[in-house]
Amino acid sequence: MKAAVLAVQGDFIEHENMLRRLGVETMEIRQSADLSEPFDALVLPGGESTVQGKLLNELDLMKPLHDKIAAGLPTLATCAGLILLAEHIENDGSYLGTLPVTVRRNAYGRQLGSFYTESQWQGIGKIPMTFIRAPFITAADPTIVRATVDDHIVGVTYRNQIALSFHPELNDDLRIYEQFIKMADRN
Ligand code: GLN
């Protein structure tokens, strides 16, 4: 299996390291020419969603990535990646818009918004969760919700998309990636 990691901004290297630990081959998407190489799954890393969104438009990556995800490409999105996927963003316009949720950017506040906790992910168990100026989901169909922290939705799985508010690439726990790989294998 080969996973492509969006590498225009943010902490894409950390995702590549996690995937490689599980024997997954990785490649980086930096420009539209990179899309001609075949891949089985996509990771949208954390970072700054406004910058990533602007670069996706400037690099002509927005529509091709949208079309691939909408067509069923297994996709793991974290933090800014979740914002890129969301159909609605309370405090911004939308980007890829393939995930039927509403998110609030910087939902925990800008400066004091970074923290660590552990919480249940449905079907996995308790997992470490590192939040960095994170968004959370303010509206989603209850059937797609997989994790909450203090009554806020921080993880969803919808069809081919797994999206989380936090950063699994920053903790030594591979279980979210294992779920992702299972999903991609089924594909
Ligand atoms: N606050 C960032 C944004 O709005 C997301 C932060 C992150 O990815 N760690 O894009």
Side-chain angles (χ1 to χ4, degrees), residues 19-31:
L19 290 162
R20 288 200 204 110
R21 281 172 63 186
L22 290 166
V24 176
E25 195 186 334
T26 61
M27 57 174 270
E28 294 182 349
I29 296 177
R30 295 176 177 273
Q31 52 187 4

Side-chain angles (χ1 to χ4, degrees), residues 46-50 78-80 83 105-106 132-135 167:
E48 183 56 41
S49 57
T50 52
T78 66
C79 209
I83 297 171
R105 290 188 59 218
N106 299 313
I132 303 171
R133 296 185 307 284
H167 288 267

